[in-house]
Amino acid sequence: MTRTLFSLTAALVGSSSAFTQSPSFSNASFSNPPMTGTMQKNTFLPAGTDLTRRSFSTLSESASSQSSSPRHSMLFAKEMSTYDIDTDENAEQSLADNPITYGANGQPSSPQTVNGDAGNVANRYSSVLESMDLNIPSLKELPSQRAISSNDVFCNRELRLDNIRAIGFDMDYTLAQYQQPNFDKLAFDGAKEKLVNSLGYPKEVLDFEYDHTYWVRGLIIDTARGNFLKIDRHKYVRMAYHGFSPISSNMRKQIYSKTFNKQPSFTEKGYVNMDTLFQHVDAHLFALLVEMKDFGEHEFLDMRTYEEIYRQVRECVDLCHRDGVIKDEVARDPEKYLVLDDGLLPMLRQYRENGIKVFLLTNSYWEYTSTAMNYLYHEKKVDEETQKKNEWTELFDLVVVGACKPAYLKDPYLNLFRVEPEDGSLKNTDGLFEIEALGEGGAEKFLEMGKCFQGGNWNHLQAMLETTAGEEIIYVGDHLYADVLRSKRALGWRSCFIMPELPEEMRIFNSQVDLRKSIMQLRSLRDELGAYADTMRLEMTKASFSESRAMEKKIEQIEEDDGKIKEKLSEAHRQYHSAFHPRWGQMFVAGYQDSRFGYFVKNYACLYTSKATNLGLASAARAFRTSGELLPHDNMLSRPSTEFVDAEVE
């Protein structure tokens, strides 16, 4: 039985019946993801199969080609759409269809020459100080250009560290950084074995290979359709893949724009936000299974929906974090999986010396937390006797494991247990009532009985820290939702988001800054030409016949010039985004808008940086300030090429 157009369309568009029974396909071949970076060939796929040649056609394209070869038309369908107001979106669609590859020198195969001169400013502030009649003697101490490092801490909301009474840290991907892809492969390989040995998945699943470079944070998994999405801050889907296959622009709009009476929020059941690096494992394993289901001959997968497959992937990966598959291996060889940072201990000690309370709040349970933190503290694997001492706890005023974030930040009824550090056993505690019963200094007395806990909720934490205002607490974590958004939105905590990907994003942005300037100048030129043409169209209604004809020719020329600019702009934009990632582009940007990921970082992370220890490079008196933001009208007026015309003045 061959795969039909109807079943493919139903799976993608997601009619109500499409998910009650999964489409069944046979006599089809599997396909590899594009072989880029460190992507390894999957042994269950036949040699010579090329995924990059397959994309999803539009409904009309597919229908017209059914009589000849539906499969062939699906493989080679490509189209560029100008349906949207933002007509430059086809640059990203082109990137999805034809990823740009880079050579060893970091340059694209067809480099675009862009002229740019950063200049050498002797004194960056002399003109403004002169206009404001300010004499600043320390000005001479400043360098001609400010050095910006990937170790800097960047600010979205102004924050003074001397107003902070307590600072908390997540552990995974915050205090404990992991070696990639070694650490992820533990969960990936463990989940494969569970899928095959416990749930009956085809044995070919064991041949799957993991490639973390295929994914970036901020994507959305549509588990009901097997799709992976990148959306902008307006919830418009800019790029989409089905498994590893790019979805065409028209099909993408049929699924996520034109067929809905209500704009999807992408928070509904069935959508999973990739807000943490842990989810790269889920994404890659799910995408491989989507490919196997679509193009393989496996009745087991034919009888399951994409949503069921994803749920079982998630359960197996999660079980690897709980049953020892990961923990035991990290304990056996921590050097292979954990990254040491010589700034960690000095930073934590300095905060405590400055009178700031320091706490650890992690979802990991005690046994794994003890293993990881002992290695980071001693900077080597320790024996069992040393590990039981848990000397690393001297770095913290308070330790909470098994926190179950984000529920920890929302549910006031979660119970608190005291942890016995030597063996990890738990004891009941009344928490808030016990602190109150101890009278004056109750929190301090309560912590003297033991400062390591499991579970509980934010009420217990703030009582033990003796703080009542969220503004006095800053929490540092890597999970955009569970660590940053929820703590700030629900409790008013200040937040610092950890982004290990930031150095590479900054490095590429810096190398592409001239190209970006050219792109923005061309967009400005298109806008200016379009506004001028529109003015002439209005004037044509009042002009004489000869004047009208002259204006019409000018408009025709403008439209011709606009087409030339658009063609160059589309290619330049595609080249720019592919420099960041060959499939997904720049992490913080979708099209010319903030991506959903960038939007949430900007709105909920007071601070963000590449690693937690960067905070230790700032003194306790540091004041972080924003760079300021402009709306479009102010942004346009601030350009040296614009002139303000007061329409209210006759």
Side-chain angles (χ1 to χ4, degrees):
M1 181 180 65
T2 60
R3 183 175 188 176
T4 65
L5 170 68
F6 173 79
S7 59
L8 172 64
T9 305
L12 288 171
V13 175
S15 62
S16 58
S17 62
F19 306 131
T20 57
Q21 182 175 355
S22 175
S24 175
F25 311 110
S26 60
N27 298 327
S29 61
F30 297 151
S31 176
N32 261 359
M35 300 289 288
T36 58
T38 58
M39 177 70 74
Q40 302 294 320
K41 185 175 181 66
N42 295 300
T43 56
F44 77 89
L45 302 176
T49 312
D50 182 10
L51 175 69
T52 61
R53 300 174 62 191
R54 182 171 72 253
S55 62
F56 290 98
S57 60
T58 61
L59 297 175
S60 58
E61 289 169 334
S62 301
S64 64
S65 59
Q66 268 186 295
S67 58
S68 57
S69 176
R71 167 83 173 169
H72 186 273
S73 67
M74 286 169 56
L75 291 175
F76 296 95
K78 290 178 184 174
E79 37 67 36
M80 306 292 283
S81 170
T82 56
Y83 172 82
D84 302 288
I85 294 176
D86 184 358
T87 54
D88 294 320
E89 74 137 31
N90 54 12
E92 283 190 289
Q93 179 62 37
S94 178
L95 171 59
D97 292 339
N98 302 285
I100 291 179
T101 56
Y102 285 75
N105 61 354
Q107 297 298 319
S109 54
S110 300
Q112 176 172 338
T113 302
V114 179
N115 295 323
D117 183 9
N120 184 14
V121 182
N123 194 313
R124 292 174 281 123
Y125 299 105
S126 58
S127 59
V128 67
L129 294 176
E130 183 178 349
S131 66
M132 295 290 184
D133 192 24
L134 281 172
N135 178 29
I136 307 296
S138 56
L139 183 66
K140 63 180 181 294
E141 304 295 334
L142 296 179
S144 60
Q145 289 184 319
R146 180 177 179 179
I148 303 297
S149 165
S150 58
N151 287 336
D152 285 351
V153 178
F154 301 96
C155 179
N156 288 316
R157 182 185 174 193
E158 294 191 2
L159 184 148
R160 292 181 60 93
L161 288 180
D162 55 9
N163 290 334
I164 297 298
R165 294 185 58 194
I167 182 168
F169 295 90
D170 186 21
M171 186 181 74
D172 297 302
Y173 282 111
T174 301
L175 294 183
Q177 293 290 333
Y178 292 105
Q179 304 273 10
Q180 294 294 358
N182 295 347
F183 182 75
D184 281 358
K185 280 178 63 64
L186 292 176
F188 186 82
D189 293 342
K192 286 191 309 183
E193 294 179 3
K194 287 176 169 56
L195 287 170
V196 174
N197 299 331
S198 300
L199 299 179
Y201 275 67
K203 291 185 178 180
E204 291 88 339
V205 170
L206 295 174
D207 297 325
F208 285 170
E209 295 289 339
Y210 178 63
D211 181 9
H212 70 289
T213 66
Y214 199 94
W215 307 100
V216 297
R217 274 202 287 182
L219 303 180
I220 293 176
I221 305 174
D222 181 350
T223 64
R225 300 179 179 90
N227 295 345
F228 298 84
L229 318 174
K230 182 180 181 181
I231 70 175
D232 64 21
R233 65 190 180 101
H234 301 295
K235 302 175 185 177
Y236 179 79
V237 179
R238 289 281 174 176
M239 300 176 68
Y241 280 73
H242 179 71
F244 294 109
S245 308
I247 301 177
S248 69
S249 178
N250 282 351
M251 179 62 80
R252 170 166 47 85
K253 291 164 190 169
Q254 289 288 341
I255 301 171
Y256 298 108
S257 296
K258 295 181 179 179
T259 58
F260 283 86
N261 294 323
K262 179 183 177 182
Q263 175 74 15
S265 67
F266 299 101
T267 58
E268 299 92 346
K269 181 182 178 182
Y271 291 109
V272 175
N273 298 305
M274 290 177 61
D275 289 334
T276 176
L277 292 169
F278 281 124
Q279 290 168 301
H280 288 12
V281 172
D282 302 46
H284 201 70
L285 187 51
F286 182 48
L288 287 167
L289 287 169
V290 168
E291 295 288 308
M292 178 179 275
K293 173 180 169 63
D294 288 352
F295 302 107
E297 299 181 17
H298 297 284
E299 184 178 355
F300 179 89
L301 294 176
D302 293 341
M303 297 301 294
R304 280 162 175 75
T305 65
Y306 296 120
E307 197 164 19
E308 289 173 327
I309 293 172
Y310 178 81
R311 185 173 65 250
Q312 292 180 330
V313 166
R314 176 87 284 278
E315 289 171 353
C316 289
V317 173
D318 186 57
L319 186 57
C320 289
H321 286 275
R322 292 186 282 112
D323 67 358
V325 166
I326 295 174
K327 173 182 63 63
D328 293 348
E329 184 61 24
V330 172
R332 187 186 68 81
D333 189 6
E335 292 183 21
K336 183 177 179 180
Y337 303 105
L338 288 164
V339 178
L340 292 176
D341 189 335
D342 57 12
L344 178 60
L345 273 60
M347 175 189 70
L348 296 175
R349 286 171 175 151
Q350 188 61 50
Y351 279 131
R352 298 193 71 189
E353 289 174 8
N354 290 331
I356 299 175
K357 294 182 179 180
V358 181
F359 64 93
L360 179 67
L361 178 66
T362 175
N363 282 357
S364 293
Y365 287 98
W366 177 258
E367 192 172 1
Y368 181 73
T369 301
S370 176
T371 296
M373 292 304 301
N374 265 302
Y375 177 73
L376 296 177
Y377 182 83
H378 294 284
E379 299 186 343
K380 63 180 181 180
K381 181 180 179 180
V382 298
D383 56 43
E384 184 177 351
E385 190 63 30
T386 302
Q387 178 155 335
K388 286 183 178 181
K389 295 179 181 178
N390 288 294
E391 295 169 298
W392 60 270
T393 59
E394 61 96 1
L395 300 170
F396 302 96
D397 294 277
L398 173 63
V399 174
V400 180
V401 301
C404 296
K405 295 173 295 178
Y408 186 93
L409 307 169
K410 298 188 297 182
D411 188 346
Y413 301 107
L414 295 177
N415 293 323
L416 181 71
F417 300 91
R418 194 184 296 277
V419 175
E420 180 56 47
E422 287 191 5
D423 58 10
S425 60
L426 303 179
K427 297 180 180 179
N428 289 319
T429 174
D430 290 330
L432 296 174
F433 300 104
E434 191 170 342
I435 292 174
E436 185 178 352
L438 291 171
E440 186 176 353
E444 183 177 350
K445 297 174 184 176
F446 183 71
L447 292 175
E448 286 175 355
M449 303 176 194
K451 60 180 180 180
C452 299
F453 302 89
Q454 178 176 306
N457 59 72
W458 87 93
N459 285 318
H460 299 119
L461 180 68
Q462 294 189 176
M464 289 185 282
L465 294 173
E466 297 181 283
T467 62
T468 56
E471 289 279 329
E472 298 176 338
I473 300 174
I474 182 170
Y475 186 61
V476 185
D478 72 292
H479 197 299
L480 187 56
Y481 178 77
D483 294 336
V484 174
L485 187 150
R486 181 50 56 192
S487 66
K488 185 173 181 181
R489 181 185 285 178
L491 304 176
W493 289 4
R494 309 307 296 270
S495 58
C496 180
F497 183 49
I498 300 302
M499 279 196 62
E501 313 96 322
L502 188 59
E504 183 66 11
E505 287 278 312
M506 293 179 66
R507 192 175 299 115
I508 296 171
F509 183 92
N510 185 62
S511 69
Q512 301 293 319
V513 68
D514 288 338
L515 177 57
R516 183 181 183 277
K517 288 178 181 177
S518 297
I519 290 171
M520 300 314 295
Q521 287 174 345
L522 288 177
R523 277 181 57 83
S524 179
L525 177 56
R526 284 193 74 193
D527 184 57
E528 196 167 339
L529 286 171
Y532 181 62
D534 198 56
T535 300
M536 282 195 290
R537 291 189 188 97
L538 294 175
E539 291 178 353
M540 283 174 62
T541 60
K542 305 174 185 178
S544 64
F545 178 78
S546 59
E547 292 174 334
S548 179
R549 288 291 298 163
M551 290 181 183
E552 187 175 346
K553 289 183 178 180
K554 290 182 180 180
I555 292 173
E556 289 175 357
Q557 183 61 56
I558 289 175
E559 290 175 345
E560 181 181 342
D561 292 341
D562 182 75
K564 296 177 184 177
I565 298 171
K566 178 183 176 182
E567 183 178 353
K568 291 290 185 182
L569 189 58
S570 179
E571 177 57 31
H573 189 248
R574 174 171 169 260
Q575 179 181 323
Y576 174 76
H577 273 281
S578 66
F580 290 89
H581 194 278
R583 286 162 293 274
W584 300 108
Q586 191 174 4
M587 187 180 301
F588 292 104
V589 178
Y592 297 102
Q593 305 279 341
D594 290 338
S595 65
R596 170 197 170 275
F597 184 77
Y599 172 79
F600 281 121
V601 170
K602 184 181 292 185
N603 282 271
Y604 291 100
C606 301
L607 307 174
Y608 66 95
T609 188
S610 61
K611 55 183 179 180
T613 52
N614 290 342
L615 289 167
L617 302 177
S619 74
R622 174 70 180 272
F624 293 99
R625 297 181 175 86
T626 63
S627 57
E629 299 176 8
L630 294 175
L631 286 171
H633 67 285
D634 289 329
N635 188 30
M636 295 178 71
L637 283 173
S638 67
R639 298 173 186 168
S641 60
T642 59
E643 178 185 7
F644 177 60
V645 177
D646 194 341
E648 299 297 322
V649 178
E650 295 294 337

